[in-house]
Amino acid sequence: MEIQDNTVVSMHYTLKNNAGDTLDSSEGREPLTYLQGAGNIIPGLESALKGKKAGESLDVTVEPAEAYGEHREDLLQQVPRDAFGEVKDLSIGMRFQAQTERGPVPIKIAAVEGDKVTVDANHELAGETLHFSVNIETVREATKEEIEHGHVH
Ligand code: ZN
């Protein structure tokens, strides 16, 4: 059966960046299972998988706009060091959850200068061109309940 909206796809994948570093892989784990057409995976990968069948393998390159978006300078913000309370050793790359009006947002420290800390709320993979190698294991029709919920059960 072909991958179309409202099918449940199970696949193994390896994700690399432009430099060829492996960022993520389902190797040695259960395959990734998702509901096609429900925005469960990034748009560029979802559209590349459309029409493919179980047993097929494909390599897909996804530009940032169809993945996790471009890196946005307006998501960088300077905050006082006091905002981190008792955390003593703030260093570049440390990750925190920022409490915002829209709920918790993962942030990363981008710079520390004196009493000023620059935090970055971009997605970890924002601005990255992603290279997926995918092996499609199974494709089945989604149940009515899965379609209603927008995810696989
Ligand atoms: Zn559900």
Side-chain angles (χ1 to χ4, degrees):
M1 134 174 248
E2 276 188 7
I3 298 175
Q4 296 296 346
D5 285 358
N6 301 329
T7 56
V8 171
V9 181
S10 134
M11 64 182 185
H12 276 294
Y13 70 95
T14 297
L15 167 61
K16 292 183 178 180
N17 61 13
N18 264 342
D21 303 322
T22 299
L23 303 177
D24 191 16
S25 175
S26 64
E27 209 65 45
R29 301 197 311 237
E30 291 290 304
L32 173 74
T33 301
Y34 76 94
L35 174 62
Q36 175 83 5
N40 291 173
I41 61 172
I42 57 168
L45 186 56
E46 190 168 60
S47 61
L49 285 164
K50 191 172 181 175
K52 303 288 189 250
K53 297 188 183 84
E56 285 194 69
S57 297
L58 63 157
D59 292 321
V60 184
T61 295
V62 184
E63 300 299 331
E66 291 292 302
Y68 294 98
E70 302 291 346
H71 192 270
R72 285 169 46 189
E73 291 303 310
D74 63 318
L75 293 178
L76 293 168
Q77 197 188 345
Q78 257 195 357
V79 297
R81 185 187 270 270
D82 294 351
F84 294 90
E86 66 273 25
V87 183
K88 290 272 184 296
D89 298 312
L90 294 176
S91 59
I92 291 169
M94 283 175 84
R95 293 173 188 284
F96 294 88
Q97 293 281 341
Q99 302 305 325
T100 73
E101 287 166 7
R102 290 169 292 116
V105 172
I107 56 165
K108 189 174 79 175
I109 293 185
V112 183
E113 291 167 64
D115 283 343
K116 299 278 184 212
V117 178
T118 305
V119 297
D120 184 350
N122 280 285
H123 188 280
E124 197 183 346
L125 295 176
E128 296 267 12
T129 298
L130 304 179
H131 303 272
F132 290 91
S133 295
V134 176
N135 297 301
I136 302 163
E137 305 287 314
T138 60
V139 182
R140 66 164 170 85
E141 270 181 58
T143 65
K144 191 162 166 279
E145 200 183 20
E146 286 172 325
I147 295 166
E148 279 170 12
H149 288 202
H151 57 230
V152 176
H153 285 169

